[in-house]
Amino acid sequence: MMAGHDVLSARYPQGLLFPEAVMREVRGRFLQVEHDHAGRPRMYFDNAGGSFRLKAAVERFAEIDAVPDNTERIHPVARELQAIQNAGTDDLRMMLNARGGSVHAALTASGAMFEMVRAIALNVPGTNMVTTVLEHPSSYDAMERYAQETGRELRVAPSNPATGGVDVDAVVRLVDQGTALLNVIYASNISGAKLDLERIVAAARAIKPDLYIVVDAVQHAPHGLIDLQKTPVDGINIAPYKFFGCRGSGLAWLSERAAALPHHKLSAKPEGFWDLGSSSPWQFAVVTEIADYVCWLGRQALQEMPELAAAVGRSTDGAEPTRRALFAAGIERIMLHERALLARLLDGDGNGDDDVGARCGLRRMPGVQVFLDHPDLTLRDLIIAIGIDGVDCTQAVHEYGLRGVTVYERSVASLYSRRMLKSFGLTGAVRVSPLHCHTAEDVDAFLRVTADIVRAHAAPAAAMAAAA
C-alpha cells in the first residue's frame, strides 16, 4: 500500500497550482515579489540563493530584536523572551518531526554544519568518513578537513548525470563497519534532484546500526516535508533565510547521542547544550512565523483537498488537526504548486508550437538546453539548470538582468559550484529557481524572456554564418 505522500505524487505527477484566491493571499504575505527594494519591476528567480521574505517574519524580527533585555534574567520581559525561544525551539522540532535531542542556534547553517561534523569526527572511532560529490562546501569541506585531521579516508559518492542526484547504492556501497560518519545533502542546489534519504538511512544503518548520519537540509526544507521519524539521523541543519525568514541565523537539530559528544560549550552548561553565548530571541520568533505561515497554508489546503488529510496523517473524525498535520499539509501543498510551476517551465502550457517561448517550454525551445532533466518531477525540487546556445552562462545571467529577471550562474570558476558541475560533465549553467509565491503567468513571462534572449543571439550568429 502506498503512503499518503506517494498517493499524492501518483495523483498529481505534474503538480497542482494553488486556487486563484489562495495564490493572491500567498503573494500578499511576501515582500518584493514583483519589484526590488528600490521599487524597480523585476522577476526574482534566484530563490535557491535565498528566498522571498515573509512580511510577518521581517516585522517580528524587528520587534523582538529591538528589545534590550537579556533572556537570562527573571523579570517579566526576560520571561517573555524565554517563552519566545521555547516556542521557536518547539516549532523547529515540529517542522522536522524530531523528538528530544538538542536545538542549536548559530550565526549560519554552515557554521552549525562544521560544528556537528567536528564533534562527530573527533569523538567517534572509525577508519573512514562518507559523503557525496554534490555537497555544499560547508558539508564537503568540513568532512574533508576533519578526515585529514583525524587520518581517515574520505569516501565520496559520485553523482548520476542522468538524474542530477546521487544513487542510493552509490552512497551505501561506501559504508562499512569502519565508517565514523555519513554526511549527505537532502537535495542538490544545482539540479534540484532529491536524494532518497529514507532508503539511504535505512540501508546504511543495516550495514552499521550505530552509524552517525548528518544531513544538509538547507536547500530542501522550503520545498519538501522532512520527517525525522522516517529518516532518523543524528544532525540536520536549515537556514531560515532560505525558508522565507531572515539572514543571520542558522539552525540545527542534534540527536541526544550526537549532542552529548564533546563540543565547544561553556563548562557549566548542560551536556547537550550547544549554543555559545546568548542566542538571539528573534531567531526563534522568526521560526514561529515561518511555521505559522505554512500551517495557515496547510489549513487552506486541507479545505481545498480533503485527500491531503491521509497524506499528512490527520484524523478524519473531525478533530482539530495538530500543528504538525497543518504544517505537513502546507509543505505538501507548496510542493504540488511548485511541481506545477516546474512542469510549466519545462513543457509550457502545451498549447503552442516550439517557436512560441511562452507556450513551448524550455524542453522544446530551440537554442535552449535543459541540463540534468530527469522526467519524474516528483523526484525534483523547483530548480532548473539550463544553457543557451552560443551564450556563456555569466553573459546569459546578464542578459536576463537587462530584461528584469534575476537568475544565477553556476560556473566551474566558483568554489560553490566547481566540484558538482565537474561531476555532471558541465562547465557552467544558468540556475533558475522560482518559489511557490510565483504564478503560471510568471513562468510564461520567464519563457518569453528566454525566447527573446535566444532570438537576440541567434540573429548575429546566423548573419556571421551567412557571411562566412
Side-chain angles (χ1 to χ4, degrees), residues 155-190:
R155 299 176 177 177
V156 182
S159 64
N160 182 337
T163 65
V166 179
D167 296 340
V168 173
D169 290 345
V171 177
V172 176
R173 68 180 176 225
L174 301 179
V175 175
D176 58 28
Q177 291 300 313
T179 305
L181 170 62
L182 168 61
N183 190 332
V184 294
I185 196 167
Y186 219 125
S188 168
N189 60 14
I190 291 181

Side-chain angles (χ1 to χ4, degrees), residues 120-376:
I120 295 170
L122 295 185
N123 296 288
V124 174
T127 58
N128 66 81
M129 297 161 60
V130 176
T131 190
T132 84
V133 73
L134 296 188
E135 301 304 307
H136 185 275
S138 62
S139 298
Y140 189 92
D141 293 0
M143 292 288 284
E144 186 176 54
R145 172 186 178 128
Y146 289 109
Q148 292 174 352
E149 191 168 311
T150 58
R152 295 190 177 109
E153 175 191 6
L154 181 63
R155 299 176 177 177
V156 182
S159 64
N160 182 337
T163 65
V166 179
D167 296 340
V168 173
D169 290 345
V171 177
V172 176
R173 68 180 176 225
L174 301 179
V175 175
D176 58 28
Q177 291 300 313
T179 305
L181 170 62
L182 168 61
N183 190 332
V184 294
I185 196 167
Y186 219 125
S188 168
N189 60 14
I190 291 181
S191 70
K194 295 182 282 191
L195 276 65
D196 192 338
L197 191 62
E198 190 170 348
R199 286 181 59 208
I200 289 172
V201 170
R205 288 259 171 78
I207 295 169
K208 186 177 182 182
D210 63 347
L211 177 65
Y212 280 79
I213 303 175
V214 171
V215 173
D216 174 1
V218 170
Q219 185 61 58
H220 179 65
H223 308 289
L225 190 63
I226 295 170
D227 188 345
L228 295 189
Q229 299 311 302
K230 294 181 178 179
T231 57
V233 300
D234 291 286
I236 189 167
N237 67 341
I238 68 168
Y241 86 94
K242 289 194 178 184
F243 203 162
F244 329 142
C246 305
R247 285 191 181 273
S249 175
L251 294 165
W253 175 89
L254 299 100
S255 68
E256 291 182 8
R257 66 171 186 162
L261 293 171
H263 57 277
H264 292 140
K265 79 175 189 69
L266 301 182
S267 300
K269 291 289 186 179
E271 181 183 53
F273 192 81
W274 273 61
D275 291 352
L276 278 171
S278 300
S279 299
S280 298
W282 69 259
Q283 291 181 280
F284 302 93
V286 166
V287 169
T288 293
E289 292 298 336
I290 295 168
D292 283 349
Y293 165 72
V294 177
C295 287
W296 164 80
L297 188 54
R299 192 175 292 279
Q300 314 310 307
L302 286 170
Q303 294 173 358
E304 172 204 355
M305 302 173 62
E307 66 267 37
L308 261 178
V312 302
R314 181 205 168 182
S315 170
T316 57
D317 61 4
E320 174 67 13
T322 65
R323 190 161 172 82
R324 170 65 185 182
L326 289 172
F327 181 84
I331 290 291
E332 291 281 358
R333 194 62 187 89
I334 284 171
M335 186 164 52
L336 287 175
H337 180 78
E338 291 190 341
R339 187 180 301 154
L341 295 181
L342 178 60
R344 197 174 184 100
L345 276 166
L346 292 169
D347 296 318
D349 63 11
N351 296 320
D353 298 325
D354 285 357
D355 60 350
V356 183
R359 293 190 170 184
C360 73
L362 295 171
R363 281 172 170 162
R364 294 183 296 138
M365 190 179 295
V368 174
Q369 301 178 66
V370 181
F371 303 125
L372 313 167
D373 184 20
H374 194 279
D376 187 348

